[in-house]
Amino acid sequence: MSSALTDLFPLPIVQAPMAGGVSVPQLAAAVSEAGGLGFVAAGYKTADGMYQEIKQLRGLTGRPFGVNLFMPQPEYAESGAVEVYAHQLAGEAAWYETELGDPDSGRDDGYEAKLAVLLDNPVAVVSFHFGVPSPEALDSLRRAGTFTLVTATTAEEALAVERAGADAVIAQGVEAGGHQGTHRDVPENDGSGIGLLSLVAQVRESVAIPVVAAGGIMHGSQIAAVLAAGASAAQLGTAFLATPESGAADLHKQALTDPLFTRTALTRAFSGRPARGLVNRFMREHGPYAPAAYPEVHHLTSPLRKAAARAGDAQGMALWAGQGHRMARELPAGQLVETLAEELAAASTALSIKGEGEQA
Ligand SMILES: Cc1cc2nc3c(=O)[nH]c(=O)nc-3n(C[C@H](O)[C@H](O)[C@H](O)COP(=O)(O)O)c2cc1C
């Protein structure tokens, strides 16, 4: 089973799906062409927008690629919490000369419609974030010839992924940039999580399906480490965010290695769900009291984030980044895949020499 995933692409390197216009088809194509697995993200897009991206990507590469979906979220916001947060953000709207967004712009992200498109036009791989799809949905995708992956942030979540019938699980460590794929976010969730190496080991003990490791991986030696821990492949987001092909705003790319940004943290300030980004003014001021209300807070802050980007103000943007951000390299994506593969090979050789040395 483990080989089924890596049979699809020669290198154990997955480019993470990054919603919000980051993992554009050009990025995914460059990664897949170089022997990794490129991904586009359907989050925040319409089903038709997702379909158009798939068509564009098919025009750029004949290699396998993946599409990522957000699971619909149950309503859990404490009553009145979003209204209070809107009141607290009024000063931001005035400062950026914009209005706050409508928190009720939509809850389910068009999940069913996107699934229908993917069943009509199957792609090689589909991954899911923020929860577990039904066994029926996973089975339909399998019968369409699609390999399925679901994010888990604990061993218990990985077990739920396996029981639902997914082909593999993405173990997402707390180091990861962007949203934690926790299956059910609740107000009591303090956003703490498990470090990647520990998580991979725990997940390996809990499930038999292959594991893809994600979180803080920026160098081939770290890929060697997660493979040694039992993962079948590594999924990297922040490392690919910095490439010229990525659709991230230039300010976001520059911030990754700007000495002004020294820390990352998990915050609900921008979306209402814990996500890791570079600590900036907006996060410091609003993170401490932002409510657990996704996607309402995402919709609410959307015009603020756009206005901050227009104004060239990185202090008001959601600068999603993993803990390894300072190691970001501005290499073209294909070259980055090659470099990571070389580093992985060197680290694997070093590991086997060490292993042999210890036996002798
Ligand atoms: C800008 C950004 C956007 C992301 N968007 C998504 C997404 O749409 N779907 C998803 O499954 N994961 C998303 N992630 C999380 C990644 O899948 C992955 O877990 C993470 O990037 C790994 O950590 P790293 O960034 O340190 O490599 C995103 C990450 C970043 C940095």
Side-chain angles (χ1 to χ4, degrees):
M1 177 70 105
S2 170
S3 62
L5 176 63
T6 37
D7 276 357
L8 289 170
F9 50 103
L11 298 169
I13 299 171
V14 179
Q15 164 250 309
M18 290 179 276
V22 179
S23 57
V24 290
Q26 290 77 3
L27 174 60
V31 171
S32 288
E33 284 291 311
L37 183 71
F39 251 99
V40 285
Y44 313 130
K45 286 199 181 78
T46 60
D48 187 54
M50 176 194 79
Y51 179 57
Q52 297 306 325
E53 277 213 335
I54 293 171
K55 278 211 303 201
Q56 203 187 333
L57 184 44
R58 285 204 169 116
L60 295 171
T61 182
R63 302 258 198 160
F65 60 83
V67 176
N68 174 254
L69 301 188
F70 286 167
M71 291 303 296
Q73 298 301 295
E75 229 162 310
Y76 53 73
E78 288 168 62
S79 104
V82 178
E83 288 74 12
V84 171
Y85 195 47
H87 190 68
Q88 286 158 327
L89 293 181
E92 294 280 348
W95 172 256
Y96 287 114
E97 296 179 342
T98 185
E99 305 280 321
L100 292 172
D102 174 6
D104 300 317
S105 310
R107 294 205 58 79
D108 80 350
D109 204 42
Y111 173 73
E112 293 295 341
K114 289 173 187 171
L115 205 54
V117 170
L118 291 169
L119 288 172
D120 281 347
N121 307 271
V123 296
V125 180
V126 171
S127 72
F128 297 86
H129 209 53
F130 296 152
V132 190
S134 67
E136 294 74 27
L138 291 167
D139 191 48
S140 310
L141 284 166
R142 177 170 315 101
R143 280 190 276 112
T146 298
F147 191 92
T148 55
L149 287 160
V150 182
T151 305
T153 59
T154 62
E156 292 73 25
E157 287 183 351
L159 204 54
V161 170
E162 182 175 61
R163 285 191 179 142
D167 293 314
V169 60
I170 301 167
Q172 187 195 36
V174 73
E175 303 91 334
H179 284 96
Q180 286 282 302
T182 319
H183 292 180
R184 186 166 157 69
D185 186 35
V186 287
E188 303 73 52
N189 177 7
D190 64 0
S192 60
I194 305 170
L196 183 61
L197 268 185
S198 177
L199 181 65
V200 169
Q202 291 176 40
V203 169
R204 280 252 38 81
E205 290 222 329
S206 309
V207 300
I209 53 176
V211 180
V212 175
I217 301 176
M218 305 297 288
H219 192 274
S221 60
Q222 293 171 283
I223 302 176
V226 293
L227 296 186
S232 298
Q235 176 164 301
L236 291 70
T238 305
F240 286 105
L241 194 154
T243 62
E245 289 92 340
S246 121
D250 286 341
L251 272 178
H252 190 169
K253 292 184 187 179
Q254 288 153 14
L256 294 174
T257 49
D258 185 335
L260 198 64
F261 296 102
T262 52
R263 287 195 311 122
T264 65
L266 287 167
T267 186
R268 295 182 195 274
F270 296 103
S271 72
R273 234 184 187 273
R276 183 173 297 282
L278 301 173
V279 175
N280 62 1
R281 180 195 60 78
F282 193 97
M283 206 197 271
R284 272 194 302 271
E285 287 181 11
H286 305 295
Y289 57 81
Y294 176 92
E296 286 84 356
V297 172
H298 165 81
H299 296 311
L300 189 70
T301 66
S302 172
L304 297 180
R305 289 179 274 123
K306 286 183 187 144
R310 276 197 305 274
D313 180 9
Q315 297 295 339
M317 295 162 64
L319 302 172
W320 301 141
Q323 286 182 344
H325 64 94
R326 276 193 251 185
M327 291 174 72
R329 297 175 269 201
E330 272 180 58
L331 294 175
Q335 254 182 48
L336 178 59
V337 172
E338 283 165 24
T339 306
L340 289 165
E342 283 161 19
E343 292 165 352
L344 165 62
S348 307
T349 310
L351 261 180
S352 64
I353 291 170
K354 264 196 138 186
E356 279 166 20
E358 272 156 23
Q359 272 163 24

